[in-house]
Amino acid sequence: MARLSFVLPLAALVLLAGVFFSYLRMIDSGDKVVNDLPSALIGKPAPQFALPPLPGRGDNGLATSDFIGKVTVVNVFASWCVPCRAEHPVIERLAKLGIAPVHAINYKDRPDAGKKWLAELGDPYAAIGADESGRVGIDWGVYGVPETFIVGPDGVIRHKHVGPLTPKVLDEEILPAIRKLGS
Amino acid sequence: MRPLLRIFALLALLLPAVPAGAVQPDEILSDPLLEARARDISRDLRCLVCQNQSIDDSNAELARDLRVIVRERLVGGDSDRQVLDYVVARYGDFVLLDPPFKGTTLVLWFGPALIGACGLFVLIAYFRRLRRAALESPVALSLEEQRRIAALLAEDGPARGPSEKRS
């Protein structure tokens, strides 16, 4: 009995240390984003909105109707957002795969700044909505750019990734989610 | 008593200096009643950028946008509940600094009490065992102790019994 009262707390300590350590490892390797919040919008229809296009770009902006009938990806980016720059090659790779149109919301940005940013880094997006006030971003529950959503053909938000897309996130999270919805 | 009084007087001076929050002058509504409600609601809403501040306290851009939205909706005639629901619909229960009482938050509400109860239980069990062990098997006196007691008793004599007198 005395042995047990010594071993039990020790076991609890070792267990907790293990949990914390593996959690740290997950954060370190980028598998776990610390400020990753459960999204309130998963399983809900994409919000009703209509955003104007970036000036001089050949599209009509972005609206709710763009999400009906096919699996779509929406990337929320801004020219002032440094991680957006980092994830941009991954977005380009995703767009090149051609398995789903990749739209964008240019969040809280001057339209000309967004335009210049794309001219510099390349423009992989199908349609872009300019959300200068950030109101549509709030309707999407955006709290930190970049964020990436996957919307099903029924217009329902099925997946959300907060933070920059890495090649690993693309291969292990985004692509499987798109394929699952597409089949 | 005088110094204590002086300290209290000084502390009373600090009372009007309640935290002013991050609300900017241009955000404040002209209707003081609506503004007071807006402040109350803002204090209950978490800033998702900083996560441990309310939007009333935070200087983050998103917090400002949400403060403005809260005020717009109040001006538009929303009840406090409707304003909170509007934000929760977009950001989930996590934005509420006073979380609602429901299935998914049970652990949050009862977790601390449960852990406390576990601790209390262990503590009680421990002391009970300690006492029982003491009652069941009292430690026998060593030979040396028995000899000393015998000596003390013999010294006092059988008529008077044990006393506090020391040799």
Side-chain angles (χ1 to χ4, degrees):
Chain A
M1 209 53 187
R3 167 94 34 106
L4 198 68
S5 66
F6 173 74
V7 170
L8 227 54
L10 195 71
L13 182 74
V14 169
L15 189 78
L16 272 181
V19 168
F20 292 152
F21 184 72
S22 64
Y23 199 75
L24 273 180
R25 282 283 301 272
M26 276 159 71
I27 292 170
D28 232 24
S29 65
D31 285 348
K32 173 88 196 159
V33 181
V34 184
N35 54 0
D36 207 355
L37 305 177
S39 174
L41 289 163
I42 303 287
K44 302 250 172 67
Q48 290 293 325
F49 74 100
L51 284 174
L54 287 179
R57 208 173 171 276
D59 61 15
N60 299 315
L62 193 65
T64 315
S65 54
D66 291 319
F67 299 101
I68 303 298
K70 53 197 175 298
V71 183
T72 41
V73 177
V74 200
N75 179 236
V76 184
F77 80 96
S79 67
W80 46 262
C81 149
V82 178
C84 296
R85 204 169 263 271
E87 74 165 359
H88 203 69
V90 182
I91 301 281
E92 290 195 300
R93 206 182 108 203
L94 170 63
K96 268 205 201 91
L97 287 175
I99 56 171
V102 182
H103 298 314
I105 294 173
N106 188 203
Y107 177 69
K108 292 199 81 130
D109 211 353
R110 288 198 331 273
D112 57 317
K115 190 90 201 338
K116 209 175 127 223
W117 193 80
L118 290 170
E120 182 195 335
L121 293 174
D123 183 351
Y125 299 113
I128 301 179
D131 182 21
E132 218 177 329
S133 70
R135 283 305 171 89
V136 171
I138 285 176
D139 283 341
W140 280 82
V142 169
Y143 61 92
V145 273
E147 290 188 14
T148 305
F149 297 83
I150 301 172
V151 183
D154 50 358
V156 171
I157 299 174
R158 294 298 178 189
H159 192 87
K160 175 184 183 179
H161 180 86
V162 179
L165 295 187
T166 60
K168 194 176 172 195
V169 169
L170 181 69
D171 289 335
E172 292 175 10
E173 187 184 320
I174 303 294
L175 291 181
I178 294 174
R179 291 203 183 98
K180 209 175 110 198
L181 286 169
S183 60
Chain B
M1 214 50 206
R2 285 294 287 275
L4 203 65
L5 219 72
R6 205 173 298 164
I7 287 170
F8 275 121
L10 279 172
L11 282 177
L13 279 179
L14 286 174
L15 271 181
V18 287
V23 185
Q24 299 298 303
D26 62 314
E27 298 171 21
I28 292 172
L29 298 173
S30 52
D31 181 342
L33 264 175
L34 279 186
E35 177 62 24
R37 276 171 66 200
R39 293 297 300 270
D40 272 350
I41 293 170
S42 305
R43 273 191 279 268
D44 274 345
L45 289 172
R46 185 193 302 273
C47 164
L48 289 132
V49 180
C50 355
Q51 300 199 358
N52 278 327
Q53 275 185 309
S54 72
I55 60 167
D56 195 57
D57 288 333
S58 170
N59 299 314
E61 188 86 354
L62 180 65
R64 181 196 156 87
D65 290 351
L66 285 172
R67 282 197 301 271
V68 171
I69 285 178
V70 164
R71 282 164 176 79
E72 275 177 16
R73 297 203 74 87
L74 285 177
V75 169
D78 269 17
S79 71
D80 292 7
R81 186 74 254 163
Q82 282 170 317
V83 175
L84 288 175
D85 285 347
Y86 175 90
V87 184
V88 169
R90 282 152 184 78
Y91 290 101
D93 285 336
F94 187 74
V95 287
L96 298 174
L97 286 170
D98 187 9
F101 191 82
K102 61 187 209 186
T104 46
T105 57
L106 279 182
V107 177
L108 198 64
W109 282 94
F110 290 117
L114 203 72
I115 290 170
C118 285
L120 205 67
F121 177 77
V122 168
L123 215 65
I124 290 172
Y126 175 75
F127 280 117
R128 277 207 166 155
R129 217 176 55 207
L130 217 63
R131 210 178 54 189
R132 202 180 317 131
L135 286 177
E136 276 170 6
S137 56
V139 182
L141 293 176
S142 68
L143 280 176
E144 172 63 20
E145 286 166 334
Q146 284 176 14
R147 209 166 37 234
R148 274 176 63 199
I149 287 177
L152 285 168
L153 289 175
E155 189 182 299
D156 282 347
R160 286 169 65 192
S163 82
E164 286 180 10
K165 204 179 117 194
R166 293 274 155 88
S167 56

